[in-house]
Amino acid sequence: MSQPFRLNKEGLINRNKKISFTFNGKKLFGYEGDTIASALIANGIHLVGRSFKYHRPRGFFGAGVEEPNAKLQVEFNGHSEPNVNATEMELVEGLSASSQNCWPSVNFDIGAINNFLKMFFPAGFYYKTFMWPKSFWYKIYEPFIRKAAGLGIASLEKDKERYEHKFEYCDLLVTGSGPSGLASAYAAAKNGAKVILAEDKPRFGGTLLTDDVSIDNLSGKDWAEKIVSELKSMPNVTVKNRSQVFGYYDHNMLVMFERVSDHLEKKSKFTPRQRLWYIRAKETILSTGSIERPIVFGNNDTPGIFLSAAAKEYMKVYGVLVGKKPLIFTNNDSAYETALDFKKNNVEPIILDTREEHSSELIDEAKSKGIDIRFSHGVIVANGYKKVKSAKIGKLTKDKNSFEKIETIECDCICVSGFWTPSVHLASQSGNKLKYEEKIDAFIPDKKKQQETSVGASNGSFTLEESLKHGFENGSNLSAKITETKTEISIPNVNEKKYGAHDKFWCMPLPKNENPKRFVDFQNDVSVSDIEIALREGYRSIEHVKRYTTLGMATDQGRTSNLNGLQLVSNIENKIVPEVGHTTFRPPFTPITIGTIVGREVGMEYMPTRKTPIHKWHKKNNAVFVDAGAWKRPRYYKQGNETLFEASKREAKNVRENVGICDVTTLGKIDIKGPDAAEFLNRVYTNAWMKLPVGKARYGLMLREDGIVLDDGTTTRISENHYHMTTTTAQAANVLSHLEYYLQIVWPELNVNVVSTTEQWAGAAIAGPKSRDMLSKLYPDLDVSNDALPFMGYKEADFFGVQSRIFRISFSGELAFEINVKSDHGMFMWEKMMEIGKEFGNQPYGTEALSTLRIEMGHVAGPELDGRTIPLDVSLNGLVSKKKDFIGKNSLGREAFNIESRQKIVGLIPIDRKSSIPEGSHIVQDQNAKLPIPKLGHVSSSCWSVENNNPFSLAIMKDGKNMIGKKFFAVSPLKNKSIEVEVISSHYVDPEGKRVRS
Amino acid sequence: MLYIKCPYCGLRAQKEFSYGGDATVKRPNINEEVTSEDWDNFVYMRKSPRGKHVELWQHIAGCRQWIKVQRDTATHEIFQTAKVTEEIR
Ligand SMILES: [Zn+2]
């Protein structure tokens, strides 16, 4: 098992630990510290995928986040993850990677026929082809595009991993641990600042790991190690590797994606897979470095073509050769370092330099080492289908538009360098407008919009000396402002090679009659000719060109393609690059997993679960629960094989005939205190409150200022200046905010305080004709007669030794009481009720029976108070005072609220007395009328009337009261039902309300 | 995510607050006659300025106080926060 392209010594990998993995089913091995990419290249594998549109063979191009091609489907640690960047993913034992976007295999891909039909896939292809006919979209085009899009396959399995969120605050966040980042973090740490240093890669140091430099007589790598270990030892510093700061949001909030354990073979049970950090930083240092950009030439996407810095990184970090016959194609000095590294490893490179013959420190060194350098030369087209075999190269004429000489030379890889592009993504996300720096042909940050400072290469400083100086200075100054401490640090001595000027050259011309594809954007398969077409078709704005051609819109965000695309547009348009402008960078900088975004908020942790103090009893007694907001409420208590329908019918019937108890703890409760409490209620509710005596409850209705009903409920006067308000379960939080709004902002002169007491009290309703008999057994010493405790009466009494409140209120239409005790006694109360209620035939009832009871009474609730109804619509206009002012009163005079035919609440029964009417059904006159059929109303609530033993519904219907006695159809296209109905009164049971007063 | 300085609690994450609309709107006095035009203006009409805007937020997951926040609606810059009883100029 030899690795033909692994060097014997070089690299930072752990050669003592072999890691086995598979690629497209083939068993291979690498070493600890390898990425999938470095391990595959070590094994001589370059063909890893097919391109997006033309299914052209693709290999690795970069060595990190800039990689546009090598996106793999990877299975590891029990999951399957699509679109994994092979140049970033660390090798872990048992990992299995496979190519995407190819069928049946990466070596023989049917889709590659697109490559030969490329005249059919020009810019805007999707827009032009799939536009019409419209009816083709869902069945034909959309599935086709989805399949052709051919990225990886998301797993359908439940993600068993743990993801976490973390919130952190710091003085200085440093994003990137290259020389400028290390210097900044170090200087700030020495000033006592709370520092977070984030590094995306597993190893700290950035370019210090690959560049031939020394700092204070240490190699770059050793200096980085020394600084990092010192930082790690400081209590005020958090040092994080495998952590990508991917988003810069408002008010200096940055979000970081930490890959906690993907690289681990074994981890402890509670170690998360990944972690999302929300970091609020007082100051941010953006030391994100720069990314090499390529020079564009023919078939420049052939496997075996690399960025020159990537080739160097494979040698120096992973001990891997990307080829043994390299061609170095450059317009600047940095690629000479790659050539020298090849040479050091006994590989003979040939350098093609687009510049005319000249001299610099690096060129001289390369010359002295005997490297073959060809000035005024470049690669015209790469030859080879699945791997570079040779290159047609040319000697450029002085104007660089044509060739003096063309020849073909053999090579097995091409390392290309078109100079460096600062990584300004985070700066741009922060709102920084960026400016074009002529000197480096790229954009750098302009005036800061937030507390962000770019240093080093991301700010366009490409020398080590300058990067360190900027890092130390900015780290020190920014932190000193916060900590008010300044520690002097001497800037270290630096030894680095001096670079000569680069050539402003980015695209090779083509000889006459040759027309190979020249790609600008590899990931989205956008070529020079695509951009030319877009411009020919009239697209001018760079944002439009981007969307039409999809240039830079792939997951690599155009890291290697944006500037070349801009150069091309500026050349054709005869504008300078800053006039063309740049597109906006958006988070995330690199793709992150959905699991991390979600964090722990899955399943039961999706939202808090609120349980009443009686929850355990319900559970033990076969309650089937329903979600009411965050609350779990018993929907029904299942006996034997009962269905929901059967159980709720039994429970509701028992309330009508005997007595039942219902857990009503979830109702919103608000304590209202203060000398102006009565006045406040009088303004909040539509009805009169000034004369409610102590010990009495009243039903009240509240509106919004626009006249729409907000909520209803009872409020009881506990004592002179103390009221107990109840709200519906759903509106509890809104009503509290509503009351606070008026007390704090509108009427601060009212001396009133409100506080939620929902969780302080457990509540149970006792309803049914036998409820008073039961109550008298629950309170043997209390007079609970109709005279002593009349309808809407209130008493405080001892309940077997615990304090309790008795309200004579009813939601069911039956004689009913509601008992509240402190939450801690809720279970005690409930069990006592169950015990004592036995002789009266008491049964617990759930929300389904509760609904049935209120619906057949015509008592409105959430489905009727749906944010569209005024009191008149729901027959509650009797509660609207004409004498006093209240919230929303002025709106009730609006014309639309007073027209005769306005919607009203009505009851509906099916003509056949059997078919239940689906909630949400539309009411129409003629179900066979021509579409669109005029809608007369909708069914809001439906039940099986236990009193009359047939279905009954409430509906909100146009001119409702005048429709009584008439027949219509209730149509539910959703349930595919149409039921003939008769309109009746909404009060189906006990319309006079005698029972509640009995 | 915004970082809002509650005048009672200090700087807190936006997550703790809920938005409450334009703070410059004044409700017509209770128990006083109001023209329907004034009423409609109060209920429905809101300016939607690009730039500085004084708005209400409630610190619902904190002290539950309603507060005033002067914010740039385009950039989210917050210039000033105050108690509702205080003026923002
Ligand atoms: Zn607060």
Side-chain angles (χ1 to χ4, degrees), chain A residues 354-356 376 396-402 503 505 507 509:
Chain A
T354 63
R355 297 171 293 185
E356 287 174 25
S376 299
L396 291 153
T397 53
K398 224 175 166 56
D399 66 2
K400 293 185 177 159
N401 282 331
S402 52
D503 187 7
F505 180 89
C507 182

Side-chain angles (χ1 to χ4, degrees), chain A residues 631-657:
Chain A
W631 289 102
K632 295 280 174 205
R633 295 194 75 178
R635 191 170 184 194
Y636 63 100
Y637 300 83
K638 192 174 176 135
Q639 291 186 359
N641 291 326
E642 273 181 332
T643 60
L644 161 69
F645 180 65
E646 290 160 354
S648 63
K649 224 159 87 169
R650 166 181 55 75
E651 291 169 9
K653 211 159 175 296
N654 190 57
V655 172
R656 292 271 184 253
E657 286 168 3

